[in-house]
mmCIF file of all heavy atoms in Angstrom:
data_model
loop_
_atom_site.group_PDB
_atom_site.id
_atom_site.type_symbol
_atom_site.label_atom_id
_atom_site.label_comp_id
_atom_site.label_asym_id
_atom_site.label_seq_id
_atom_site.Cartn_x
_atom_site.Cartn_y
_atom_site.Cartn_z
ATOM 1 N N PRO A 204 12.445 -0.594 -4.194
ATOM 2 C CA PRO A 204 11.894 -1.931 -4.411
ATOM 3 C C PRO A 204 11.489 -2.153 -5.862
ATOM 4 O O PRO A 204 11.275 -1.205 -6.616
ATOM 5 C CB PRO A 204 10.667 -1.971 -3.498
ATOM 6 C CG PRO A 204 10.325 -0.555 -3.250
ATOM 7 C CD PRO A 204 11.594 0.224 -3.343
ATOM 8 N N VAL A 205 11.388 -3.419 -6.229
ATOM 9 C CA VAL A 205 10.970 -3.801 -7.583
ATOM 10 C C VAL A 205 9.488 -3.465 -7.741
ATOM 11 O O VAL A 205 8.678 -3.766 -6.872
ATOM 12 C CB VAL A 205 11.206 -5.308 -7.811
ATOM 13 C CG1 VAL A 205 10.686 -5.736 -9.166
ATOM 14 C CG2 VAL A 205 12.682 -5.633 -7.668
ATOM 15 N N ALA A 206 9.153 -2.817 -8.828
ATOM 16 C CA ALA A 206 7.762 -2.436 -9.078
ATOM 17 C C ALA A 206 6.945 -3.646 -9.518
ATOM 18 O O ALA A 206 7.483 -4.545 -10.151
ATOM 19 C CB ALA A 206 7.715 -1.360 -10.150
ATOM 20 N N PRO A 207 5.684 -3.737 -9.210
ATOM 21 C CA PRO A 207 4.934 -2.817 -8.366
ATOM 22 C C PRO A 207 5.299 -3.031 -6.901
ATOM 23 O O PRO A 207 5.560 -4.147 -6.469
ATOM 24 C CB PRO A 207 3.477 -3.187 -8.625
ATOM 25 C CG PRO A 207 3.516 -4.640 -8.970
ATOM 26 C CD PRO A 207 4.828 -4.840 -9.683
ATOM 27 N N ALA A 208 5.320 -1.950 -6.159
ATOM 28 C CA ALA A 208 5.684 -2.023 -4.744
ATOM 29 C C ALA A 208 4.918 -0.967 -3.962
ATOM 30 O O ALA A 208 4.472 0.034 -4.519
ATOM 31 C CB ALA A 208 7.181 -1.800 -4.578
ATOM 32 N N ILE A 209 4.779 -1.223 -2.666
ATOM 33 C CA ILE A 209 4.170 -0.251 -1.771
ATOM 34 C C ILE A 209 5.085 -0.113 -0.565
ATOM 35 O O ILE A 209 5.480 -1.112 0.037
ATOM 36 C CB ILE A 209 2.761 -0.677 -1.327
ATOM 37 C CG1 ILE A 209 1.827 -0.709 -2.529
ATOM 38 C CG2 ILE A 209 2.229 0.254 -0.246
ATOM 39 C CD1 ILE A 209 0.428 -1.159 -2.211
ATOM 40 N N MET A 210 5.424 1.139 -0.246
ATOM 41 C CA MET A 210 6.221 1.427 0.938
ATOM 42 C C MET A 210 5.372 2.277 1.882
ATOM 43 O O MET A 210 4.647 3.166 1.441
ATOM 44 C CB MET A 210 7.479 2.207 0.559
ATOM 45 C CG MET A 210 8.458 1.425 -0.269
ATOM 46 S SD MET A 210 9.910 2.391 -0.758
ATOM 47 C CE MET A 210 10.738 2.559 0.822
ATOM 48 N N VAL A 211 5.451 1.986 3.162
ATOM 49 C CA VAL A 211 4.816 2.802 4.188
ATOM 50 C C VAL A 211 5.959 3.300 5.061
ATOM 51 O O VAL A 211 6.620 2.506 5.724
ATOM 52 C CB VAL A 211 3.782 2.005 5.006
ATOM 53 C CG1 VAL A 211 3.222 2.849 6.133
ATOM 54 C CG2 VAL A 211 2.655 1.495 4.116
ATOM 55 N N GLY A 212 6.206 4.595 5.001
ATOM 56 C CA GLY A 212 7.392 5.135 5.649
ATOM 57 C C GLY A 212 8.607 4.606 4.912
ATOM 58 O O GLY A 212 8.681 4.672 3.691
ATOM 59 N N ASP A 213 9.546 4.030 5.636
ATOM 60 C CA ASP A 213 10.740 3.449 5.016
ATOM 61 C C ASP A 213 10.619 1.943 4.825
ATOM 62 O O ASP A 213 11.559 1.309 4.365
ATOM 63 C CB ASP A 213 11.972 3.740 5.876
ATOM 64 C CG ASP A 213 12.322 5.219 5.882
ATOM 65 O OD1 ASP A 213 12.005 5.903 4.883
ATOM 66 O OD2 ASP A 213 12.914 5.686 6.876
ATOM 67 N N GLU A 214 9.485 1.372 5.208
ATOM 68 C CA GLU A 214 9.298 -0.082 5.146
ATOM 69 C C GLU A 214 8.636 -0.499 3.829
ATOM 70 O O GLU A 214 7.611 0.059 3.429
ATOM 71 C CB GLU A 214 8.422 -0.538 6.315
ATOM 72 C CG GLU A 214 8.205 -2.020 6.363
ATOM 73 C CD GLU A 214 7.299 -2.439 7.511
ATOM 74 O OE1 GLU A 214 6.890 -1.589 8.330
ATOM 75 O OE2 GLU A 214 6.983 -3.632 7.576
ATOM 76 N N VAL A 215 9.236 -1.487 3.163
ATOM 77 C CA VAL A 215 8.638 -2.050 1.950
ATOM 78 C C VAL A 215 7.578 -3.060 2.396
ATOM 79 O O VAL A 215 7.886 -4.053 3.047
ATOM 80 C CB VAL A 215 9.698 -2.741 1.062
ATOM 81 C CG1 VAL A 215 9.044 -3.381 -0.151
ATOM 82 C CG2 VAL A 215 10.763 -1.749 0.640
ATOM 83 N N ILE A 216 6.330 -2.779 2.068
ATOM 84 C CA ILE A 216 5.210 -3.630 2.474
ATOM 85 C C ILE A 216 5.008 -4.763 1.479
ATOM 86 O O ILE A 216 4.778 -5.901 1.854
ATOM 87 C CB ILE A 216 3.913 -2.809 2.604
ATOM 88 C CG1 ILE A 216 4.118 -1.648 3.566
ATOM 89 C CG2 ILE A 216 2.749 -3.683 3.030
ATOM 90 C CD1 ILE A 216 4.568 -2.048 4.952
ATOM 91 N N THR A 217 5.068 -4.448 0.211
ATOM 92 C CA THR A 217 4.970 -5.479 -0.824
ATOM 93 C C THR A 217 5.841 -5.062 -1.998
ATOM 94 O O THR A 217 6.009 -3.873 -2.268
ATOM 95 C CB THR A 217 3.513 -5.710 -1.274
ATOM 96 O OG1 THR A 217 3.475 -6.788 -2.204
ATOM 97 C CG2 THR A 217 2.912 -4.495 -1.920
ATOM 98 N N GLU A 218 6.391 -6.051 -2.639
ATOM 99 C CA GLU A 218 7.312 -5.801 -3.763
ATOM 100 C C GLU A 218 7.049 -6.854 -4.828
ATOM 101 O O GLU A 218 7.139 -8.048 -4.567
ATOM 102 C CB GLU A 218 8.737 -5.890 -3.246
ATOM 103 C CG GLU A 218 9.795 -5.617 -4.258
ATOM 104 C CD GLU A 218 11.182 -5.615 -3.641
ATOM 105 O OE1 GLU A 218 11.351 -5.997 -2.472
ATOM 106 O OE2 GLU A 218 12.104 -5.244 -4.370
ATOM 107 N N GLY A 219 6.683 -6.396 -6.017
ATOM 108 C CA GLY A 219 6.460 -7.312 -7.128
ATOM 109 C C GLY A 219 5.137 -8.057 -7.070
ATOM 110 O O GLY A 219 4.936 -8.996 -7.819
ATOM 111 N N SER A 220 4.226 -7.642 -6.170
ATOM 112 C CA SER A 220 2.919 -8.300 -6.098
ATOM 113 C C SER A 220 1.890 -7.343 -5.509
ATOM 114 O O SER A 220 2.226 -6.266 -5.027
ATOM 115 C CB SER A 220 3.005 -9.564 -5.241
ATOM 116 O OG SER A 220 3.323 -9.229 -3.910
ATOM 117 N N ASP A 221 0.651 -7.776 -5.523
ATOM 118 C CA ASP A 221 -0.433 -6.975 -4.967
ATOM 119 C C ASP A 221 -0.537 -7.195 -3.464
ATOM 120 O O ASP A 221 0.069 -8.101 -2.907
ATOM 121 C CB ASP A 221 -1.764 -7.354 -5.627
ATOM 122 C CG ASP A 221 -1.833 -6.914 -7.080
ATOM 123 O OD1 ASP A 221 -1.164 -5.932 -7.437
ATOM 124 O OD2 ASP A 221 -2.558 -7.562 -7.854
ATOM 125 N N ILE A 222 -1.365 -6.366 -2.817
ATOM 126 C CA ILE A 222 -1.601 -6.472 -1.377
ATOM 127 C C ILE A 222 -3.079 -6.190 -1.135
ATOM 128 O O ILE A 222 -3.694 -5.406 -1.873
ATOM 129 C CB ILE A 222 -0.710 -5.468 -0.604
ATOM 130 C CG1 ILE A 222 -0.831 -5.670 0.902
ATOM 131 C CG2 ILE A 222 -1.039 -4.052 -0.981
ATOM 132 C CD1 ILE A 222 0.142 -4.827 1.711
ATOM 133 N N SER A 223 -3.638 -6.807 -0.123
ATOM 134 C CA SER A 223 -5.043 -6.552 0.187
ATOM 135 C C SER A 223 -5.167 -5.192 0.867
ATOM 136 O O SER A 223 -4.235 -4.712 1.523
ATOM 137 C CB SER A 223 -5.608 -7.639 1.099
ATOM 138 O OG SER A 223 -5.060 -7.525 2.401
ATOM 139 N N GLU A 224 -6.323 -4.590 0.719
ATOM 140 C CA GLU A 224 -6.570 -3.299 1.349
ATOM 141 C C GLU A 224 -6.474 -3.410 2.867
ATOM 142 O O GLU A 224 -5.949 -2.526 3.535
ATOM 143 C CB GLU A 224 -7.939 -2.767 0.955
ATOM 144 C CG GLU A 224 -8.224 -1.388 1.497
ATOM 145 C CD GLU A 224 -9.494 -0.787 0.947
ATOM 146 O OE1 GLU A 224 -10.009 -1.254 -0.074
ATOM 147 O OE2 GLU A 224 -9.969 0.185 1.555
ATOM 148 N N GLU A 225 -6.955 -4.514 3.414
ATOM 149 C CA GLU A 225 -6.929 -4.711 4.862
ATOM 150 C C GLU A 225 -5.496 -4.749 5.395
ATOM 151 O O GLU A 225 -5.172 -4.118 6.391
ATOM 152 C CB GLU A 225 -7.672 -5.990 5.257
ATOM 153 C CG GLU A 225 -9.170 -5.932 5.037
ATOM 154 C CD GLU A 225 -9.589 -6.214 3.594
ATOM 155 O OE1 GLU A 225 -8.764 -6.754 2.801
ATOM 156 O OE2 GLU A 225 -10.715 -5.885 3.241
ATOM 157 N N LYS A 226 -4.620 -5.478 4.706
ATOM 158 C CA LYS A 226 -3.228 -5.574 5.150
ATOM 159 C C LYS A 226 -2.529 -4.223 5.042
ATOM 160 O O LYS A 226 -1.782 -3.828 5.935
ATOM 161 C CB LYS A 226 -2.477 -6.623 4.327
ATOM 162 C CG LYS A 226 -1.056 -6.826 4.794
ATOM 163 C CD LYS A 226 -0.351 -7.932 4.044
ATOM 164 C CE LYS A 226 1.087 -8.074 4.531
ATOM 165 N NZ LYS A 226 1.828 -9.079 3.774
ATOM 166 N N LEU A 227 -2.796 -3.499 3.976
ATOM 167 C CA LEU A 227 -2.205 -2.174 3.805
ATOM 168 C C LEU A 227 -2.687 -1.231 4.888
ATOM 169 O O LEU A 227 -1.900 -0.476 5.472
ATOM 170 C CB LEU A 227 -2.535 -1.611 2.420
ATOM 171 C CG LEU A 227 -2.012 -0.221 2.112
ATOM 172 C CD1 LEU A 227 -0.501 -0.147 2.269
ATOM 173 C CD2 LEU A 227 -2.439 0.194 0.720
ATOM 174 N N GLU A 228 -3.968 -1.289 5.227
ATOM 175 C CA GLU A 228 -4.516 -0.426 6.267
ATOM 176 C C GLU A 228 -3.873 -0.725 7.624
ATOM 177 O O GLU A 228 -3.555 0.181 8.389
ATOM 178 C CB GLU A 228 -6.031 -0.580 6.338
ATOM 179 C CG GLU A 228 -6.695 0.438 7.218
ATOM 180 C CD GLU A 228 -8.209 0.436 7.106
ATOM 181 O OE1 GLU A 228 -8.785 -0.469 6.464
ATOM 182 O OE2 GLU A 228 -8.816 1.346 7.677
#
Side-chain angles (χ1 to χ4, degrees):
V205 176
I209 295 178
M210 293 178 70
V211 176
D213 292 332
E214 182 182 356
V215 177
I216 304 303
T217 184
E218 182 175 10
S220 64
D221 290 333
I222 186 173
S223 71
E224 184 172 343
E225 292 82 16
K226 183 176 179 183
L227 179 57
E228 190 170 9

